[in-house]
Amino acid sequence: MMIIPKANKLDSSQLQEIESIVGEFDCTILEIQGHNQCVYAILGDETHALMFKRIAGLSFVRKVDAIESPYKLMDRRSALSEHQVQLGISKPGMNSPFIIGGPCTIDPQNPSLFIETAHALKDVGVNALRGGVWKPRTNPYSYQGDNQAIEIILQAREETGLPIDLEVMDSDQLKIALDAKVDILQVGTRNALNYSLLKEIGKLSAGSGSGVLLKRGRHVASPDEFIAAAEYIVAAGNPNVMLCPRGTTPPLDGYRNHPDESITPLLKNRTWAPVVVDPSHSVGHAEYVLASSLAAIAYGADGLCVESHLKPAKGIGDDPKQAITPEKMRELISSCREMWKHRYQPRD
Ligand code: PEP
Ligand code: MN
């Protein structure tokens, strides 16, 4: 159950009054700070009719929502349905595709190449920069990342003014990223079912304004399993989640994964959260990234996360295979803006 106050937020005496009511029924309250409005989730066995009546009767409560849904916060009918994720000056889903671009992995030996890529991407119109500081590699002998690399992406943010996105895989990385006020915390496909990490991210980033880009589990997570994973983050306090389909396994022979842009309208119809598709890991080859991006936007995606590098051949992660150059990114952005006008939109 979700409590929606008449004002944007409950004051402390109102919160105390509600806490004492729910306490009688062995429940607790969690404040979730939306963009314009706070909502309050009742945690515990919230099915008591008497508790519902007593809270609904309070003069400062607009309504108590009791929607039947496996993901009561992520549901399109939930009190958060009007919530708008905001990253820097961008609101994914509004006006034009929200584009995250940048190399797979930041090369700590070559900071200037990352910085130059960042400037080139800003010039062609990306809305946020990506770059891996810590990497989930299939092979333990591959480059695993380096704490120092965060300084390079922070410098790129400073110089370009663009919000930054990077993946965190554990608590230590999460804390470093939060201290650095990283704008978008990425959860990779390998951690898509790591519920302890999802809860920790939601809790520690609550109220920070940081967004979370949650990749789809590559084991072919169903729309409901994917949305429920995001629910963990929101239920722990951070509603700024974006869902990121990125291809599933087994791969379609010839692609890196099995492209899954077509899950987008299913997500859009069930949840209010922006969908930001990753075409790069999905197809895994630079030459198919434009087609996959256009398909994603046609299916109603609010944005894209695209690997892009000034000199893909010099990339130390996935870039040599799948990164597009900033010049290709320019074409991609302009074609996707055209496609945006014809995109699928959720039914009411
Ligand atoms: C990445 O974004 O570089 C990455 C490793 O993503 P995924 O978790 O989708 O494989
Ligand atoms: Mn990558």
Side-chain angles (χ1 to χ4, degrees):
M1 267 195 312
M2 198 62 52
I3 302 167
I4 303 143
K6 283 189 181 151
N8 293 346
K9 202 174 162 57
L10 293 174
D11 67 27
S12 55
S13 71
Q14 295 167 338
L15 191 57
Q16 254 172 22
E17 192 169 346
I18 292 187
E19 273 167 348
S20 85
I21 298 174
V22 301
E24 290 177 38
F25 298 88
D26 289 327
C27 292
T28 52
I29 288 288
L30 174 77
E31 178 177 282
I32 298 165
Q33 197 169 354
H35 189 49
N36 300 317
Q37 155 105 59
C38 282
V39 297
Y40 299 80
I42 303 176
L43 309 178
D45 178 9
E46 11 116 54
T47 51
H48 303 281
L50 182 58
M51 178 172 75
F52 181 97
K53 270 196 202 141
R54 281 177 58 192
I55 297 170
L58 295 169
S59 61
F60 49 85
V61 167
R62 178 148 65 87
K63 67 173 173 167
V64 185
D65 247 352
I67 55 164
E68 291 285 323
S69 171
Y71 29 81
K72 53 190 179 175
L73 294 163
M74 289 292 290
D75 196 287
R76 264 188 81 211
R77 296 161 300 166
S78 90
L80 283 172
S81 60
E82 301 292 312
H83 176 63
Q84 184 67 60
V85 178
Q86 174 139 17
L87 299 157
I89 56 166
S90 305
K91 292 183 178 172
M94 303 282 275
N95 309 323
S96 63
F98 174 71
I99 310 288
I100 306 172
C104 173
T105 305
I106 301 166
D107 182 352
Q109 308 299 327
N110 200 346
S112 56
L113 192 48
F114 186 85
I115 302 288
E116 282 167 42
T117 300
H119 282 283
L121 288 171
K122 166 148 191 176
D123 290 348
V124 303
V126 308
N127 307 98
L129 287 174
R130 60 155 289 153
V133 172
W134 305 285
K135 295 304 298 180
R137 304 305 294 271
T138 305
N139 187 325
Y141 306 113
S142 304
Y143 173 73
Q144 303 284 311
D146 183 338
N147 285 6
Q148 298 301 318
I150 198 163
E151 298 302 330
I152 304 170
I153 194 164
L154 292 177
Q155 186 187 337
R157 173 172 68 182
E158 177 78 24
E159 290 185 20
T160 60
L162 293 174
I164 54 172
D165 159 44
L166 55 91
E167 176 169 356
V168 292
M169 294 179 288
D170 61 37
S171 307
D172 292 343
Q173 296 168 2
L174 173 62
K175 284 171 193 145
I176 295 173
L178 286 170
D179 280 347
K181 300 200 178 334
V182 165
D183 307 87
I184 305 171
L185 304 161
Q186 184 173 309
V187 180
T189 191
R190 294 159 180 83
N191 275 313
L193 294 181
N194 184 345
Y195 298 123
S196 311
L197 181 68
L198 300 178
K199 280 193 260 189
E200 194 178 13
I201 289 178
K203 190 169 164 198
L204 298 189
S205 67
S208 67
S210 293
V212 181
L213 184 71
L214 175 66
K215 299 267 188 125
R216 181 183 181 203
R218 61 183 177 170
H219 58 282
V220 202
S222 67
D224 281 352
E225 183 188 282
F226 190 11
I227 297 169
E231 179 86 8
Y232 270 91
I233 299 168
V234 181
N238 186 351
N240 298 318
V241 290
M242 294 171 281
L243 299 171
C244 182
R246 48 78 72 203
T248 56
T249 81
L252 186 59
D253 188 13
Y255 288 141
R256 177 173 177 171
N257 281 295
H258 197 110
D260 62 349
E261 314 86 14
S262 56
I263 195 176
T264 303
L266 308 180
L267 299 171
K268 299 288 303 177
N269 282 327
R270 294 177 205 192
T271 172
W272 50 265
V275 176
V276 174
V277 169
D278 172 348
S280 305
H281 292 85
S282 179
V283 294
H285 297 278
E287 70 173 303
Y288 308 129
V289 165
L290 174 62
S292 173
S293 300
L294 285 166
I297 299 297
Y299 273 121
D302 301 285
L304 301 166
C305 178
V306 182
E307 287 193 350
S308 179
H309 196 292
L310 200 54
K311 297 193 173 119
K314 291 201 166 178
I316 63 166
D318 295 321
D319 305 312
K321 289 170 278 171
Q322 64 196 32
I324 60 168
T325 60
E327 267 324 299
K328 287 275 175 221
M329 182 72 104
R330 185 196 299 280
E331 279 172 49
L332 182 148
I333 292 175
S334 106
S335 315
C336 286
R337 284 189 180 154
E338 270 309 298
M339 181 60 87
W340 179 263
K341 298 174 196 157
H342 310 286
R343 74 194 188 285
Y344 171 83
Q345 299 208 45
R347 44 177 196 261
D348 286 324

